[in-house]
Amino acid sequence: MIGHVGFSQNQSRGSLSKITSVYQTIKANYYQPVSSDKLINGAINGMVSSLNDPFSEYLANQDATDLNNTISGSFGGIGTSVKQAGNYVAVDAPVKNTPATKAGLKTDDLIVSIDGKSAKGLTVAKVVAKIRGKIGTKVTLGLRRGSTAFTLTLTRAKIPVKTVTGAIDPTNPTVGNIQITTFSEPTGKELKQTIKSLRQKGAKCFVIDLRGNPGGTLPTALETASMFLKNGQTIMQTQEKAAQPVKYVASKDYDQGFKVKEKTVVLVDGDSASAAEIFASALQQSAHDQVIGTQSYGKGTVQTVSDLGGNSEMKITTAKWLQPDGTWINHKGVTPDQKVKYPDYAYLSTFDTGKTYQLNQSSRAIVAIQKILNALGYTVDQENGVYDQSMQTAVTNFQNDQLKNGVTGLQANGIVDPATGDALVNALTQKISQNDPMYAKAVAVLTQ
């Protein structure tokens, strides 16, 4: 196999002999004992890192076991999958309605510390192990988003394992609203059950909401997309190195004969990735259903996991996947038919709700609180990071309204303590969910 990468056999032997020489030199001459496994794993990790591909990884021992659990959907206490990103691990995609989304975590946020300790150099599995914990306990993450550094304290919770939920739209009883949070083994079965249930309740058309969906397994993407296509229509294509593209088409082999012929609209955003993009592309290009939202993430590669023996494995990118028309969306994403953004306040930065903020303090976190207060209708004179009298009044008014609405654990004292911080984030999350222009546009398309 080494000869396939462009070296002659002699070049390959020469390159490998260098690796062997370095190994032997270290073993013989390094000033203190060093593990053979550590050297070998370091060499392998170096080769994989040189690919500069965040989706290719070498994992050994417990790392391999933990990653398999993560891939299978066992995200753990805060509700997000993670991925390797250079020397750090980054958020892959938060799961809806979990502590991660409520705290404002976003795709590609770098996890630079966990409970005050540096996370530099930690593997995916080690980060997952540190973030997971007993329900109700807290974990503090130091994060970096672009050039902005911030800290969040999250309370671990039980993460729902159901991947598909559905409901009849409260104002349009013929519209079925279906959310798919990830594409894992039970998703196909859950989607069929949800569609059948909504049909019985009167649904004549569907919104398929893939926003925040990080993807999942290729077989599940093929199974679910096939339900919405006529047999023979192209779901996707894959292309391995130096090979012609291979088409995957809708068939009974994928969907077991279950078809959705009702009018359908798909919602995507910047956190819709991988299998979610395969699904959206298939419905957009082959079923001619509209895709609404913002540009999707743009992950156009396929990974294969190989067992290397000795409780180790390699996950490596082996192919491109292409849209039905042959377009490669890598780093570009699926382009919606109708581009609709979230409200501006949906993009506000969050803050560490585990701390207390009060009069005469100043910080970047206070800027974030001021912006949230203004978005919620509690006017602050300036968004300058200074906790002044107008901010104290706005906080007091917010606390009073929350107490009137039955929120417990707050005091109307004008201080943003952890309970008030959580209430502010929850109120903003609720406002975003209640003012959803993407979903509103989807319903308008279906009912026009």
Side-chain angles (χ1 to χ4, degrees), residues 85-158:
N87 292 325
Y88 291 97
V89 167
V91 172
D92 189 7
V95 179
K96 285 186 177 180
N97 301 318
T98 63
T101 50
K102 291 176 182 178
L105 281 176
K106 296 184 182 298
T107 298
D108 294 330
D109 284 348
L110 284 182
I111 301 172
V112 297
S113 67
I114 304 171
D115 289 331
K117 296 182 179 179
S118 174
K120 186 175 182 179
L122 296 183
T123 64
V124 165
K126 285 186 172 64
V127 167
V128 169
K130 289 178 179 293
I131 291 176
R132 288 176 181 168
K134 186 177 179 180
I135 292 171
T137 60
K138 295 182 182 296
V139 59
T140 299
L141 302 181
L143 300 146
R144 189 164 69 240
R145 182 181 300 160
S147 59
T148 302
F150 57 100
T151 303
L152 291 177
T153 300
L154 299 90
T155 302
R156 298 179 176 99
K158 183 178 180 180

Side-chain angles (χ1 to χ4, degrees), residues 70 91 95 120 142 152 164 226 240 301 350 360 376 379 392 395:
T70 302
V91 172
V95 179
K120 186 175 182 179
L152 291 177
V164 182
S226 183
E240 297 182 357
T301 56
T350 187
N360 298 325
L376 294 173
T379 304
Q392 186 180 53
V395 171

Side-chain angles (χ1 to χ4, degrees), residues 321-338:
W321 75 260
L322 313 174
Q323 292 179 295
D325 66 0
T327 301
W328 192 33
I329 67 158
N330 208 45
H331 303 306
K332 298 175 183 176
V334 176
T335 300
D337 298 286
Q338 297 195 50

Side-chain angles (χ1 to χ4, degrees), residues 278-414:
I278 291 172
F279 182 97
S281 296
L283 269 64
Q284 182 183 51
Q285 294 192 358
S286 294
H288 305 294
D289 292 323
Q290 285 202 38
V291 172
I292 293 173
T294 58
Q295 204 80 7
S296 66
Y297 182 80
K299 180 180 181 292
T301 56
V302 178
Q303 283 70 44
T304 302
V305 178
S306 301
D307 186 354
L308 302 181
N311 197 23
S312 63
E313 63 187 22
M314 180 174 290
K315 182 178 69 153
I316 188 169
T317 300
T318 54
K320 302 175 181 178
W321 75 260
L322 313 174
Q323 292 179 295
D325 66 0
T327 301
W328 192 33
I329 67 158
N330 208 45
H331 303 306
K332 298 175 183 176
V334 176
T335 300
D337 298 286
Q338 297 195 50
K339 292 188 176 182
V340 181
K341 292 180 63 178
Y342 290 109
D344 289 343
Y345 51 76
Y347 299 95
L348 290 178
S349 298
T350 187
F351 63 98
D352 187 354
T353 59
K355 294 183 177 180
T356 296
Y357 310 89
Q358 54 191 317
L359 190 65
N360 298 325
Q361 290 182 344
S362 61
S363 68
R364 289 185 178 181
I366 291 173
V367 175
I369 298 171
Q370 290 170 333
K371 290 180 181 293
I372 291 173
L373 285 166
N374 278 328
L376 294 173
Y378 298 92
T379 304
V380 176
D381 289 344
Q382 297 185 75
E383 296 176 353
N384 59 359
V386 177
Y387 205 124
D388 59 12
Q389 189 62 53
S390 76
M391 181 174 175
Q392 186 180 53
T393 300
V395 171
T396 302
N397 291 338
F398 170 78
Q399 291 167 329
N400 278 320
D401 286 344
Q402 290 289 296
L403 290 168
K404 290 176 185 176
N405 291 331
V407 178
T408 59
L410 301 184
Q411 296 182 44
N413 56 9

